[in-house]
Amino acid sequence: MRVSIATAPGGTNPNEDWVAAAPTLAVVLDGLSTAGLDTGCRHGVPWYVAQLGGHLMAALAEPGRPLADGLAQALDHVAALHPGCDLGNPGTPSATVSILRAGVDGFDYLVLADSPIVFERADDYQVVTDLRVDTVVPELRAETERFATGTPEHAEAVRRMVEAQRLTRNTVDGYWVAASSGEAAQYALTGTAPVVDVCAVAVMTDGAARLVTDYQMTSWAGVFGILREAGADGLISEVRKVEATDPDGLRWPRFKSGDDAAVAFCQLP
């Protein structure tokens, strides 16, 4: 398959999204925000996603290896890189994971948390995503929407929400993300999409997908039109244009005025 990729930070802070691709593989990661809370790790989220992404690409170089097995190995290898950090801290650096691998008969996929993979078919779109995080502490999520983005009140509300979310992170009653243990891989959504039905695939973080999911400024058909005409960079630029019309989050309440975004656009030959 032919893959084009792009990623960009949502503001002045370092980019916590990560994307890479090979002729048969695309990997997209979205590092979870710390909201200024302690993580128990001296390395930080950008370091974590770069290490996890690189180890994932290496682990999945073997074509027939199950994606969940490769993710489990990569998670354990990255954990071994920083044994001096407190990996038991509930805020230890973590990330969503979305993987697409092209095979002879179909596309294997893995999704852990809310970075979607969208399959374009001749007559519809299939979205694979895991929104379990949205069911956690809904009252605190609603509280963040009461304040304008960027205000001290909003920042404090987000901090309280993240602090509460951490207590349910990677638990059977909560939601699962890539963190410090390979166990999380077994909770990912996995499957295979028959290649005969697929025209193209977009793998992206929620910061790019929100043009449809949150802002509802276009459809998935519109997203694929932008990707074909302007590429992955063009889709992120379109997201930024929309966000610029609502910098305070009054029309579209959100945690950040602009979120980091990453996209891998995969087209069949």
Side-chain angles (χ1 to χ4, degrees), residues 6-10 13-20 27-33 45-46 49-50 95-96 115 204-209 236 240 256 259-263:
T7 184
N13 291 327
N15 191 354
E16 296 177 341
D17 283 5
W18 191 92
V19 58
V27 174
V28 169
L29 308 177
D30 183 352
L32 272 63
S33 173
V45 175
V49 294
T96 73
S115 292
M204 64 186 77
T205 59
D206 64 337
I236 295 174
R240 299 291 180 246
K256 304 174 184 176
D259 195 8
D260 302 340
V263 183

Side-chain angles (χ1 to χ4, degrees), residues 33-110:
S33 173
T34 67
L37 296 166
D38 176 60
T39 66
C41 176
R42 65 182 177 84
H43 297 92
V45 175
W47 175 89
Y48 176 78
V49 294
Q51 294 297 327
L52 180 58
H55 279 80
L56 266 173
M57 294 296 288
L60 295 174
E62 180 183 341
R65 183 171 202 178
L67 300 184
D69 287 359
L71 174 57
Q73 176 183 299
L75 285 168
D76 289 338
H77 281 180
V78 174
L81 294 177
H82 55 150
C85 298
D86 179 12
L87 302 185
N89 186 305
T92 191
S94 55
T96 73
V97 179
S98 293
I99 306 170
L100 181 77
R101 184 175 62 195
V104 175
D105 299 319
F107 291 95
D108 296 332
Y109 61 82
L110 179 149

Side-chain angles (χ1 to χ4, degrees), residues 9-254:
T12 58
N13 291 327
N15 191 354
E16 296 177 341
D17 283 5
W18 191 92
V19 58
T24 60
L25 183 67
V27 174
V28 169
L29 308 177
D30 183 352
L32 272 63
S33 173
T34 67
L37 296 166
D38 176 60
T39 66
C41 176
R42 65 182 177 84
H43 297 92
V45 175
W47 175 89
Y48 176 78
V49 294
Q51 294 297 327
L52 180 58
H55 279 80
L56 266 173
M57 294 296 288
L60 295 174
E62 180 183 341
R65 183 171 202 178
L67 300 184
D69 287 359
L71 174 57
Q73 176 183 299
L75 285 168
D76 289 338
H77 281 180
V78 174
L81 294 177
H82 55 150
C85 298
D86 179 12
L87 302 185
N89 186 305
T92 191
S94 55
T96 73
V97 179
S98 293
I99 306 170
L100 181 77
R101 184 175 62 195
V104 175
D105 299 319
F107 291 95
D108 296 332
Y109 61 82
L110 179 149
V111 172
L112 184 63
D114 59 357
S115 292
I117 297 178
V118 186
F119 293 90
E120 181 189 45
R121 304 180 187 280
D123 54 1
D124 69 347
Y125 296 85
Q126 176 191 358
V127 181
V128 182
T129 189
D130 175 3
L131 300 177
R132 279 175 285 187
V133 67
D134 289 350
T135 67
V136 175
V137 294
E139 70 286 354
L140 293 178
R141 177 181 289 267
E143 180 72 6
T144 67
E145 299 179 358
R146 293 182 52 220
F147 307 106
T149 303
T151 62
E153 294 84 1
H154 182 266
E156 176 60 20
V158 171
R159 188 197 63 78
R160 288 196 301 269
M161 182 196 70
V162 171
E163 192 169 34
Q165 283 179 335
R166 287 179 169 189
L167 300 180
T168 69
R169 188 176 296 170
N170 288 3
T171 67
V172 293
D173 296 323
Y175 66 105
W176 291 83
V177 293
S180 60
S181 170
E183 178 190 10
Q186 66 182 284
Y187 293 93
L189 304 180
T190 60
T192 301
V195 69
V196 69
D197 293 337
V198 176
C199 303
V201 189
V203 187
M204 64 186 77
T205 59
D206 64 337
R210 61 182 48 191
L211 196 62
V212 176
T213 58
D214 291 26
Y215 307 152
Q216 298 179 336
M217 294 299 288
T218 190
S219 62
W220 289 120
V223 164
F224 278 82
I226 294 168
L227 287 169
R228 285 194 169 89
E229 181 177 341
D233 277 319
L235 178 61
I236 295 174
S237 294
E238 193 63 30
V239 173
R240 299 291 180 246
K241 290 177 186 176
V242 170
E243 288 171 341
T245 68
D246 180 43
D248 299 324
L250 300 180
R251 180 177 180 183
W252 299 296
R254 53 197 188 273

